[in-house]
């Protein structure tokens, strides 16, 4: 199993707006239906009001790579990130 954990620092005061835009796009539901996805979650940090935590699990590296390079990630996720995200720290864990 592959687990991805991302910490996204969002522009001041824009965290909830960004989460709502992600949800409204339908992208999160689509990610959850992708082949090999085990779970996909986004949440606001409890300790920093400008941070979002993304965690997702994949059956294997091929499934994660397919997700990470899909058209929706390239066109929608990165476009929204350009509007809202100041910094991203991502970690891939293998089990």
């Amino acid at each position: 199993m592959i687990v991805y954990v991302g910490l996204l620092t969002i522009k001041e005061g824009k965290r909830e707006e960004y989460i709502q835009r992600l949800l409204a796009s339908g992208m999160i539901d689509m990610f959850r239906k992708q082949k090999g996805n085990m779970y996909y979650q986004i949440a606001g940090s409890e300790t920093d009001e400008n941070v979002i935590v993304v965690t997702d699990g994949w059956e294997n590296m091929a499934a994660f790579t397919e997700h990470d390079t899909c058209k929706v990630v390239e066109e929608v996720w990165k476009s929204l990130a350009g509007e809202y995200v100041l910094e991203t720290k991502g970690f891939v864990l293998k089990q």
Side-chain angles (χ1 to χ4, degrees):
M1 181 166 97
I2 302 299
V3 175
Y4 174 80
V5 178
L7 304 174
L8 288 69
T9 303
I10 308 303
K11 293 177 182 177
E12 184 78 31
K14 296 290 187 178
R15 184 177 80 176
E16 292 309 313
E17 181 180 325
Y18 179 58
I19 290 173
Q20 291 307 310
R21 295 270 313 268
L22 289 174
L23 294 172
S25 74
M27 174 174 33
I28 303 303
D29 289 331
M30 191 213 71
F31 289 166
R32 290 176 179 150
K33 293 175 183 173
Q34 286 179 314
K35 182 179 178 183
N37 180 262
M38 301 172 75
Y39 63 89
Y40 197 100
Q41 301 295 321
I42 60 171
S45 167
E46 292 181 11
T47 58
D48 187 331
E49 65 185 32
N50 295 314
V51 171
I52 290 174
V53 181
V54 176
T55 56
D56 42 297
W58 301 87
E59 289 177 357
N60 52 48
M61 185 55 91
F64 174 71
T65 300
E66 188 171 323
H67 156 74
D68 197 40
T69 58
C70 76
K71 186 176 181 177
V72 173
V73 168
E74 290 297 319
E75 294 179 1
V76 180
W77 180 270
K78 290 183 179 180
S79 174
L80 284 174
E83 290 182 49
Y84 292 93
V85 179
L86 297 173
E87 178 182 32
T88 300
K89 295 178 184 175
F91 308 92
V92 175
L93 310 170
K94 298 178 185 179
Q95 287 187 306

